[in-house]
Amino acid sequence: MRSRRRTPPAAVLQAAALPRGERVLASAAGSDGSWLLGTRSRLVLLDAAGEVVRLPWEQVEDAGWDQETSRLQVREAGEFGAPRREWTPTVTEQEPRAFLELLRERVTASIVVQRQVAVRGKRGVVVACRRNPTGGPLHWTATFEPGVEPDDPEVRAAAEALLARVRAELGELADTPADDLPSIS
Protein backbone atom coordinates (compact mmCIF):
# COMPACT_ATOMS: atom_id res chain seq x y z
CA MET A 1 0.00 0.00 0.00
CA ARG A 2 1.41 3.37 -0.99
CA SER A 3 1.43 5.96 1.78
CA ARG A 4 -0.15 9.35 1.19
CA ARG A 5 1.44 12.49 2.52
CA ARG A 6 -0.60 13.88 5.42
CA THR A 7 -0.50 17.46 6.53
CA PRO A 8 -0.60 17.74 10.31
CA PRO A 9 -3.64 19.57 11.70
CA ALA A 10 -3.22 23.27 12.55
CA ALA A 11 -3.39 22.50 16.29
CA VAL A 12 -0.42 20.12 15.94
CA LEU A 13 1.61 22.70 14.05
CA GLN A 14 0.77 25.32 16.68
CA ALA A 15 1.82 22.98 19.51
CA ALA A 16 5.09 22.20 17.69
CA ALA A 17 5.95 25.92 17.85
CA LEU A 18 8.43 25.73 15.00
CA PRO A 19 10.72 28.73 14.54
CA ARG A 20 9.67 31.23 11.89
CA GLY A 21 10.51 29.93 8.41
CA GLU A 22 10.94 26.30 9.50
CA ARG A 23 8.45 24.02 7.81
CA VAL A 24 7.43 20.39 8.12
CA LEU A 25 8.98 18.29 5.35
CA ALA A 26 7.35 15.00 6.37
CA SER A 27 5.12 13.78 9.18
CA ALA A 28 3.48 10.68 10.59
CA ALA A 29 0.46 10.32 12.87
CA GLY A 30 0.49 8.01 15.87
CA SER A 31 -2.44 5.72 16.66
CA ASP A 32 -2.80 7.41 20.07
CA GLY A 33 -3.08 10.94 18.67
CA SER A 34 0.65 11.64 18.80
CA TRP A 35 2.55 13.15 15.85
CA LEU A 36 6.07 12.97 14.45
CA LEU A 37 7.23 15.96 12.43
CA GLY A 38 10.46 16.21 10.48
CA THR A 39 11.97 19.55 9.42
CA ARG A 40 15.36 20.46 7.91
CA SER A 41 16.92 20.84 11.35
CA ARG A 42 14.95 18.73 13.81
CA LEU A 43 12.58 15.93 14.72
CA VAL A 44 9.55 17.02 16.72
CA LEU A 45 7.64 14.44 18.74
CA LEU A 46 4.23 15.46 20.08
CA ASP A 47 2.66 12.90 22.38
CA ALA A 48 -1.08 12.50 22.92
CA ALA A 49 -0.84 14.26 26.31
CA GLY A 50 0.55 17.38 24.68
CA GLU A 51 4.23 17.01 25.61
CA VAL A 52 6.49 18.29 22.85
CA VAL A 53 10.05 17.05 22.38
CA ARG A 54 12.26 18.87 19.86
CA LEU A 55 15.36 16.89 18.93
CA PRO A 56 17.95 18.41 16.62
CA TRP A 57 18.90 15.69 14.10
CA GLU A 58 22.41 15.32 15.58
CA GLN A 59 20.80 14.26 18.87
CA VAL A 60 18.87 11.35 17.33
CA GLU A 61 21.20 8.43 17.99
CA ASP A 62 19.21 5.95 15.96
CA ALA A 63 15.76 4.96 14.84
CA GLY A 64 14.18 1.75 13.65
CA TRP A 65 10.93 0.85 11.93
CA ASP A 66 9.06 -2.39 12.64
CA GLN A 67 6.69 -2.83 9.71
CA GLU A 68 4.78 -5.72 11.32
CA THR A 69 3.77 -3.70 14.39
CA SER A 70 3.90 -0.24 12.74
CA ARG A 71 6.13 0.88 15.60
CA LEU A 72 8.90 3.38 15.24
CA GLN A 73 11.69 3.42 17.81
CA VAL A 74 13.63 6.66 18.23
CA ARG A 75 16.55 6.87 20.64
CA GLU A 76 18.18 10.11 21.75
CA ALA A 77 21.97 10.42 21.77
CA GLY A 78 21.78 12.00 25.23
CA GLU A 79 24.51 13.18 27.52
CA PHE A 80 27.64 11.22 28.35
CA GLY A 81 26.92 8.67 31.11
CA ALA A 82 23.21 9.50 31.35
CA PRO A 83 20.37 7.18 30.38
CA ARG A 84 19.16 7.80 26.85
CA ARG A 85 15.53 8.70 26.28
CA GLU A 86 13.55 6.55 23.88
CA TRP A 87 10.18 6.86 22.15
CA THR A 88 8.22 4.06 20.48
CA PRO A 89 5.06 5.44 18.87
CA THR A 90 2.73 3.22 16.87
CA VAL A 91 2.12 4.92 13.53
CA THR A 92 -1.32 4.80 11.89
CA GLU A 93 0.01 4.56 8.34
CA GLN A 94 1.07 1.10 7.20
CA GLU A 95 4.40 2.50 6.04
CA PRO A 96 5.05 6.22 6.45
CA ARG A 97 7.53 6.22 3.57
CA ALA A 98 8.16 9.98 3.25
CA PHE A 99 8.72 10.38 7.00
CA LEU A 100 11.03 7.35 7.22
CA GLU A 101 13.07 8.55 4.24
CA LEU A 102 13.49 11.99 5.81
CA LEU A 103 14.41 10.45 9.17
CA ARG A 104 17.11 8.25 7.62
CA GLU A 105 18.52 11.05 5.43
CA ARG A 106 18.70 13.66 8.21
CA VAL A 107 20.20 11.34 10.86
CA THR A 108 22.79 10.02 8.38
CA ALA A 109 23.64 13.55 7.25
CA SER A 110 24.35 14.56 10.85
CA ILE A 111 27.23 12.07 11.27
CA VAL A 112 30.63 13.70 10.76
CA VAL A 113 32.61 10.67 11.92
CA GLN A 114 31.90 7.54 13.96
CA ARG A 115 34.41 4.96 15.20
CA GLN A 116 34.23 1.87 17.41
CA VAL A 117 36.94 0.19 19.44
CA ALA A 118 36.45 -3.32 20.85
CA VAL A 119 37.38 -3.88 24.50
CA ARG A 120 35.45 -7.04 25.42
CA GLY A 121 35.40 -9.43 22.47
CA LYS A 122 33.58 -7.56 19.72
CA ARG A 123 31.90 -5.17 22.15
CA GLY A 124 33.33 -1.83 23.06
CA VAL A 125 32.78 1.88 22.86
CA VAL A 126 31.58 4.00 19.94
CA VAL A 127 32.67 7.63 19.68
CA ALA A 128 30.67 9.78 17.31
CA CYS A 129 30.98 13.37 16.21
CA ARG A 130 27.79 14.81 14.82
CA ARG A 131 26.56 18.16 13.54
CA ASN A 132 23.14 19.31 12.49
CA PRO A 133 22.82 18.99 8.69
CA THR A 134 22.04 22.72 8.59
CA GLY A 135 25.32 23.59 10.38
CA GLY A 136 26.22 24.48 13.94
CA PRO A 137 28.47 23.18 16.68
CA LEU A 138 29.84 19.66 16.93
CA HIS A 139 28.04 17.23 19.23
CA TRP A 140 30.22 14.42 20.64
CA THR A 141 28.90 11.18 22.11
CA ALA A 142 30.53 8.11 23.59
CA THR A 143 28.27 5.06 23.65
CA PHE A 144 29.26 1.99 25.63
CA GLU A 145 27.86 -1.17 24.10
CA PRO A 146 25.97 -3.71 26.28
CA GLY A 147 28.28 -5.62 28.61
CA VAL A 148 30.94 -2.90 28.59
CA GLU A 149 31.32 -1.04 31.88
CA PRO A 150 32.21 2.66 31.53
CA ASP A 151 33.77 2.65 35.03
CA ASP A 152 36.31 -0.05 34.11
CA PRO A 153 39.76 1.64 33.86
CA GLU A 154 40.66 -0.39 30.74
CA VAL A 155 37.42 0.67 29.04
CA ARG A 156 37.93 4.32 30.00
CA ALA A 157 41.48 4.26 28.66
CA ALA A 158 40.25 2.75 25.37
CA ALA A 159 37.48 5.37 25.15
CA GLU A 160 39.92 8.24 25.81
CA ALA A 161 42.37 6.89 23.22
CA LEU A 162 39.58 6.51 20.66
CA LEU A 163 38.33 10.04 21.30
CA ALA A 164 41.86 11.43 20.86
CA ARG A 165 42.30 9.44 17.62
CA VAL A 166 38.97 10.62 16.20
CA ARG A 167 39.73 14.24 17.09
CA ALA A 168 43.13 13.88 15.37
CA GLU A 169 41.39 12.45 12.27
CA LEU A 170 39.19 15.52 12.10
CA GLY A 171 42.15 17.87 12.50
CA GLU A 172 41.16 21.51 12.36
CA LEU A 173 37.45 20.69 12.31
CA ALA A 174 37.77 19.06 15.74
CA ASP A 175 38.98 22.40 17.12
CA THR A 176 35.61 23.94 16.26
CA PRO A 177 33.78 24.70 19.53
CA ALA A 178 31.85 21.63 20.56
CA ASP A 179 28.56 21.92 22.42
CA ASP A 180 28.85 18.62 24.24
CA LEU A 181 32.34 17.13 24.36
CA PRO A 182 32.12 13.96 26.46
CA SER A 183 34.02 14.05 29.71
CA ILE A 184 35.46 10.56 29.63
CA SER A 185 37.85 10.95 32.54
Side-chain angles (χ1 to χ4, degrees), residues 128-156:
C129 176
R130 300 172 78 158
R131 171 180 281 161
N132 193 292
T134 61
L138 299 176
H139 180 80
W140 292 86
T141 59
T143 304
F144 296 91
E145 294 173 335
V148 176
E149 281 299 318
D151 294 331
D152 181 325
E154 181 184 345
V155 170
R156 291 187 95 54

Short mmCIF file of all heavy atoms in Angstrom, two decimals, residues 128-156:
data_model
loop_
_atom_site.label_atom_id
_atom_site.label_comp_id
_atom_site.label_asym_id
_atom_site.label_seq_id
_atom_site.Cartn_x
_atom_site.Cartn_y
_atom_site.Cartn_z
N ALA A 128 31.25 9.16 18.49
CA ALA A 128 30.67 9.78 17.31
C ALA A 128 30.74 11.29 17.43
O ALA A 128 30.58 11.84 18.51
CB ALA A 128 29.22 9.35 17.12
N CYS A 129 31.01 11.92 16.32
CA CYS A 129 30.98 13.37 16.21
C CYS A 129 29.87 13.68 15.22
O CYS A 129 29.87 13.16 14.11
CB CYS A 129 32.32 13.90 15.71
SG CYS A 129 32.31 15.68 15.45
N ARG A 130 28.92 14.50 15.67
CA ARG A 130 27.79 14.81 14.82
C ARG A 130 27.57 16.31 14.77
O ARG A 130 27.98 17.03 15.67
CB ARG A 130 26.55 14.11 15.35
CG ARG A 130 26.78 12.59 15.37
CD ARG A 130 25.67 11.91 16.05
NE ARG A 130 24.58 11.85 15.10
CZ ARG A 130 23.59 10.98 15.18
NH1 ARG A 130 23.55 10.12 16.14
NH2 ARG A 130 22.63 10.98 14.30
N ARG A 131 26.90 16.75 13.72
CA ARG A 131 26.56 18.16 13.54
C ARG A 131 25.23 18.20 12.81
O ARG A 131 24.97 17.38 11.93
CB ARG A 131 27.64 18.85 12.71
CG ARG A 131 27.26 20.26 12.31
CD ARG A 131 28.32 20.93 11.50
NE ARG A 131 29.35 21.39 12.43
CZ ARG A 131 30.59 21.71 12.07
NH1 ARG A 131 30.96 21.58 10.82
NH2 ARG A 131 31.44 22.14 12.95
N ASN A 132 24.42 19.17 13.17
CA ASN A 132 23.14 19.31 12.49
C ASN A 132 23.39 19.50 11.01
O ASN A 132 24.31 20.24 10.63
CB ASN A 132 22.37 20.51 13.07
CG ASN A 132 20.92 20.50 12.63
OD1 ASN A 132 20.63 20.71 11.45
ND2 ASN A 132 20.04 20.24 13.56
N PRO A 133 22.62 18.85 10.14
CA PRO A 133 22.82 18.99 8.69
C PRO A 133 22.73 20.44 8.20
O PRO A 133 23.24 20.76 7.14
CB PRO A 133 21.70 18.14 8.09
CG PRO A 133 21.35 17.16 9.15
CD PRO A 133 21.57 17.87 10.45
N THR A 134 22.12 21.31 8.98
CA THR A 134 22.04 22.72 8.59
C THR A 134 23.21 23.54 9.12
O THR A 134 23.27 24.74 8.91
CB THR A 134 20.71 23.35 9.07
OG1 THR A 134 20.66 23.28 10.50
CG2 THR A 134 19.51 22.64 8.48
N GLY A 135 24.15 22.90 9.82
CA GLY A 135 25.32 23.59 10.38
C GLY A 135 25.22 23.69 11.89
O GLY A 135 24.27 23.24 12.50
N GLY A 136 26.22 24.30 12.49
CA GLY A 136 26.22 24.48 13.94
C GLY A 136 27.37 23.77 14.59
O GLY A 136 28.27 23.25 13.92
N PRO A 137 27.36 23.76 15.93
CA PRO A 137 28.47 23.18 16.68
C PRO A 137 28.52 21.65 16.57
O PRO A 137 27.53 21.01 16.21
CB PRO A 137 28.20 23.61 18.12
CG PRO A 137 26.73 23.83 18.17
CD PRO A 137 26.33 24.30 16.80
N LEU A 138 29.67 21.11 16.89
CA LEU A 138 29.84 19.66 16.93
C LEU A 138 29.18 19.12 18.19
O LEU A 138 29.15 19.78 19.23
CB LEU A 138 31.32 19.29 16.93
CG LEU A 138 32.12 19.74 15.71
CD1 LEU A 138 33.58 19.38 15.89
CD2 LEU A 138 31.57 19.13 14.44
N HIS A 139 28.68 17.91 18.10
CA HIS A 139 28.04 17.23 19.23
C HIS A 139 28.74 15.87 19.35
O HIS A 139 28.67 15.06 18.42
CB HIS A 139 26.55 17.05 18.95
CG HIS A 139 25.80 16.37 20.03
ND1 HIS A 139 25.38 17.02 21.17
CD2 HIS A 139 25.41 15.09 20.15
CE1 HIS A 139 24.75 16.16 21.95
NE2 HIS A 139 24.75 14.98 21.34
N TRP A 140 29.45 15.66 20.44
CA TRP A 140 30.22 14.42 20.64
C TRP A 140 29.46 13.48 21.56
O TRP A 140 28.89 13.90 22.56
CB TRP A 140 31.56 14.74 21.27
CG TRP A 140 32.48 15.49 20.37
CD1 TRP A 140 32.54 16.84 20.19
CD2 TRP A 140 33.46 14.93 19.52
NE1 TRP A 140 33.51 17.15 19.28
CE2 TRP A 140 34.10 15.99 18.84
CE3 TRP A 140 33.87 13.62 19.24
CZ2 TRP A 140 35.12 15.79 17.93
CZ3 TRP A 140 34.88 13.42 18.33
CH2 TRP A 140 35.50 14.50 17.68
N THR A 141 29.48 12.19 21.23
CA THR A 141 28.90 11.18 22.11
C THR A 141 29.86 10.00 22.22
O THR A 141 30.62 9.71 21.29
CB THR A 141 27.54 10.65 21.60
OG1 THR A 141 27.70 10.09 20.30
CG2 THR A 141 26.50 11.75 21.57
N ALA A 142 29.81 9.36 23.37
CA ALA A 142 30.53 8.11 23.59
C ALA A 142 29.49 7.11 24.08
O ALA A 142 28.87 7.33 25.11
CB ALA A 142 31.63 8.29 24.62
N THR A 143 29.28 6.06 23.32
CA THR A 143 28.27 5.06 23.65
C THR A 143 28.96 3.75 24.00
O THR A 143 29.74 3.23 23.20
CB THR A 143 27.31 4.84 22.47
OG1 THR A 143 26.75 6.10 22.10
CG2 THR A 143 26.21 3.87 22.82
N PHE A 144 28.68 3.25 25.20
CA PHE A 144 29.26 1.99 25.63
C PHE A 144 28.27 0.89 25.30
O PHE A 144 27.12 0.93 25.71
CB PHE A 144 29.58 2.03 27.13
CG PHE A 144 30.62 3.07 27.44
CD1 PHE A 144 30.27 4.37 27.77
CD2 PHE A 144 31.96 2.75 27.36
CE1 PHE A 144 31.23 5.33 28.02
CE2 PHE A 144 32.93 3.69 27.62
CZ PHE A 144 32.56 5.00 27.95
N GLU A 145 28.73 -0.09 24.55
CA GLU A 145 27.86 -1.17 24.10
C GLU A 145 27.51 -2.08 25.29
O GLU A 145 28.23 -2.09 26.30
CB GLU A 145 28.56 -1.94 22.98
CG GLU A 145 28.73 -1.05 21.75
CD GLU A 145 29.56 -1.67 20.65
OE1 GLU A 145 30.41 -2.54 20.91
OE2 GLU A 145 29.35 -1.26 19.48
N PRO A 146 26.40 -2.83 25.18
CA PRO A 146 25.97 -3.71 26.28
C PRO A 146 27.10 -4.64 26.73
O PRO A 146 27.84 -5.19 25.91
CB PRO A 146 24.82 -4.52 25.67
CG PRO A 146 24.30 -3.65 24.57
CD PRO A 146 25.51 -2.92 24.03
N GLY A 147 27.25 -4.76 28.05
CA GLY A 147 28.28 -5.62 28.61
C GLY A 147 29.62 -4.93 28.81
O GLY A 147 30.57 -5.53 29.30
N VAL A 148 29.71 -3.67 28.44
CA VAL A 148 30.94 -2.90 28.59
C VAL A 148 30.70 -1.86 29.68
O VAL A 148 29.81 -1.02 29.55
CB VAL A 148 31.35 -2.22 27.25
CG1 VAL A 148 32.57 -1.36 27.44
CG2 VAL A 148 31.58 -3.28 26.19
N GLU A 149 31.48 -1.93 30.74
CA GLU A 149 31.32 -1.04 31.88
C GLU A 149 32.14 0.23 31.73
O GLU A 149 33.37 0.18 31.68
CB GLU A 149 31.74 -1.75 33.18
CG GLU A 149 30.70 -2.68 33.71
CD GLU A 149 29.40 -1.97 34.06
OE1 GLU A 149 29.43 -0.87 34.63
OE2 GLU A 149 28.34 -2.53 33.74
N PRO A 150 31.48 1.39 31.69
CA PRO A 150 32.21 2.66 31.53
C PRO A 150 33.16 2.97 32.69
O PRO A 150 34.11 3.72 32.52
CB PRO A 150 31.12 3.71 31.44
CG PRO A 150 29.83 3.01 31.46
CD PRO A 150 30.06 1.57 31.71
N ASP A 151 32.91 2.38 33.86
CA ASP A 151 33.77 2.65 35.03
C ASP A 151 35.04 1.79 35.06
O ASP A 151 35.92 2.04 35.87
CB ASP A 151 32.97 2.42 36.32
CG ASP A 151 31.85 3.43 36.48
OD1 ASP A 151 31.99 4.57 35.97
OD2 ASP A 151 30.82 3.08 37.09
N ASP A 152 35.13 0.81 34.18
CA ASP A 152 36.31 -0.05 34.11
C ASP A 152 37.48 0.78 33.57
O ASP A 152 37.38 1.39 32.51
CB ASP A 152 36.01 -1.22 33.16
CG ASP A 152 37.15 -2.19 33.00
OD1 ASP A 152 38.33 -1.76 33.02
OD2 ASP A 152 36.87 -3.39 32.84
N PRO A 153 38.62 0.82 34.30
CA PRO A 153 39.76 1.64 33.86
C PRO A 153 40.25 1.29 32.45
O PRO A 153 40.64 2.19 31.69
CB PRO A 153 40.84 1.34 34.90
CG PRO A 153 40.08 0.89 36.11
CD PRO A 153 38.85 0.19 35.59
N GLU A 154 40.23 0.02 32.08
CA GLU A 154 40.66 -0.39 30.74
C GLU A 154 39.72 0.18 29.67
O GLU A 154 40.15 0.65 28.61
CB GLU A 154 40.70 -1.92 30.65
CG GLU A 154 41.15 -2.44 29.29
CD GLU A 154 41.08 -3.97 29.20
OE1 GLU A 154 40.97 -4.64 30.24
OE2 GLU A 154 41.14 -4.47 28.06
N VAL A 155 38.42 0.14 29.96
CA VAL A 155 37.42 0.67 29.04
C VAL A 155 37.57 2.18 28.91
O VAL A 155 37.55 2.73 27.81
CB VAL A 155 35.99 0.30 29.52
CG1 VAL A 155 34.93 1.03 28.72
CG2 VAL A 155 35.79 -1.22 29.46
N ARG A 156 37.77 2.87 30.04
CA ARG A 156 37.93 4.32 30.00
C ARG A 156 39.17 4.71 29.21
O ARG A 156 39.13 5.66 28.43
CB ARG A 156 37.99 4.88 31.42
CG ARG A 156 36.63 4.76 32.11
CD ARG A 156 36.61 5.44 33.45
NE ARG A 156 36.12 6.80 33.47
CZ ARG A 156 34.98 7.24 33.02
NH1 ARG A 156 34.18 6.42 32.39
NH2 ARG A 156 34.60 8.48 33.16
#
